Amino acid sequence: MLIESLAMGFELFLTPTTIGLTLIGVLIGLLVGALPGLGPLMGIILLLPVAISMPPVAAMGFLIAIFVGGSCGGSISAILLRIPGTPLAAATLFDGYPMAQNGRASDAIGIAISASAIGGLIGGMVLIVGSPLLARFASGFAPPEYALLAITGLFAIAVISGGSLVKGLISGCFGLLLATIGTDEFSTGYRFTFGTHDMLNGFHIVAVVVGLFAISEMAYQIMGRDLLKTPNIKIARPGFGSILLTLRHWKNLVRSSGIGVFFGALPGAGGVISSFTSYAIAKAWAKPDEKYGEGAEGGVVATEAANNATVGGTLVPSLALGIPGDASSAMLLGALLILGFVPGPILFEQQPEMVGGIFLVYMSANVFLLIAGILVTPLFVYVLRIPKFYLIPVVLLLCSIGTFALQASVFDLMVMLGFGLVGILFRAANYPLSPIVIGIILGPILENNLRRALLISREGYWIFLDRPVSAVLVCMNVSLIIGAIWFALRKKKKNRLMAANDRP
Amino acid sequence: MLSVKTLQWMVYGFLAIIVAIVFQQVYTSMTEQGIASGGPYNNGAAYPRAIAITIGVLLVCQIFTDRFSTESEQEINSTIEASDLRRPVFLLVLFATYLGLLKTLGYHLTTTPVVLGIMLICGARNIPKLFLGALIMSFSFAYIFENILNVVLPGGIYSLNIPW
């Protein structure tokens, strides 16, 4: 089945459009990753309207390549500027920047790109082998299991995403509520449409997400005092020799990639946790003469391999179950849905060529990252010198034309602006935005399966405890919430004790 | 000056309005349509109502947590200066005006001045250079979207579209 799927996908993959867009996606990903304040999620959001007008595999290749490139691009600014382009590259600072200070900036960037690409390829192997197995296991799932899986995904992301569990859950529920706007699939009644035709299908997810993330980010960026500043950066020219430098740390590379895949596959964990964990483990296992924190190659290898392997890991539950691991994979699922494909076991059964195509674009994106990343890094260093006052109008222009292009609708532009204001407010009050996106994606899955489960049940909600897998998921969700509350209370107690100790 | 505490109350207010709208819609529009009662198939109101109740309960928990929380006092009392808000407010007003005028005046008449305006809000002052930058940005995007991606950009009342 796997070989067949790959063979069928190969036909879709082997077109100039798909290959070209995957390469362009990697370059755009590196660019948005390198520019502080953007990152892979923003890259995917900004270019989603462009992608959905393309053939499906090419579109997914473009977006996945942005995800792959963006997960690595942050290391360039972390190494050269001591500012991680994305939070994913925060741990790369520890050794990447000291390497640059010691005159090894080119080696540091070369190692970061090589480790990212190899980590991504290891993640890809797990994706290719693991996701069909998970999809086969999940093919026996019925509405109760899907409803509970959606709740698990939402809980996990709310718990991990932004400090406060309650705020995360509120954001997630807000997303679930947004997903109910429009025509009800079961009763065909109109919900929250206020008599307007524009809302019969609800808000377009791209307009909502562009507003929440991109508009609010630009409003925050413009508050900065560095808008006119041109960073003074020396040109770095990494060579292919850095691949050998990276492979010298092969144990670290494989271990960190494994950690990345593991955390990627857990909904909500993501690249930041995996890169910090793998750095800590690599440091703990390192020989004393490796000098972690002072420019150790192993430190860069560990963090970069982990955060790119996370991409492969996060695609496993996303493709096999339709449950996104983080906001970026939620956007990829959103794109897949817009393109007319339903992620989950059905995709593996009915459209194996699409699955094979996605596997191939993912793997090729990592190969392109290795080659193109090393070749074009000097160009990205020039891009880092562009002051922000040029960047902000570019992003806003891309937001508005991209959103307009979705349905040639001015209403979508107003939705984008409205959600931009909501995004600013939520950010200012420390409410995480990612659970909103996950809520919008998981909303229809949750509602439809919940109602279907109740329709087939003779004992109401007991159906969720009658079936073994759903009973396990109920237990998981309950323990997740209890665990989160316990951790929050423990943290509060610890902080209170610390505050008491600090008092004179 | 805007404190984080004020912003939090603004979020509470916003969410409370959302919850109120859900109930208002359930008891008016959805009841009139006959989708606010019955079993799981017919009752399209039960799920959004349940979510709204959950948001309400979580909101009460959050207000309670904030009220009795001592550790986040420093964070809650931190403020955003009014001078810091000036630029984002100008940006949002300009952007909203742009979106409002896009349909009437079209992409080509509105985009270059807006891009120039955003750069001026950012603090850049070299007008000829900025104007050239704004023109390049505006026409490059138009070329990419209209010519490569086949998107028809709003032409406005003058139907201004470039035949690339």
Side-chain angles (χ1 to χ4, degrees), chain A residues 226-263:
Chain A
D226 56 346
L227 300 174
L228 306 177
K229 217 167 82 182
T230 308
N232 185 20
I233 314 162
K234 283 181 191 159
I235 296 294
R237 293 180 197 281
F240 286 101
S242 38
I243 300 174
L244 293 175
L245 284 179
T246 309
L247 288 173
R248 262 195 237 157
H249 302 271
W250 66 272
K251 277 185 198 166
N252 183 356
L253 191 64
V254 173
R255 184 182 57 231
S256 302
S257 304
I259 293 168
V261 172
F262 173 73
F263 279 107

Side-chain angles (χ1 to χ4, degrees), chain A residues 44 58 63 89-90 121 220:
Chain A
I44 294 171
L63 296 174
L121 287 169
Y220 268 82

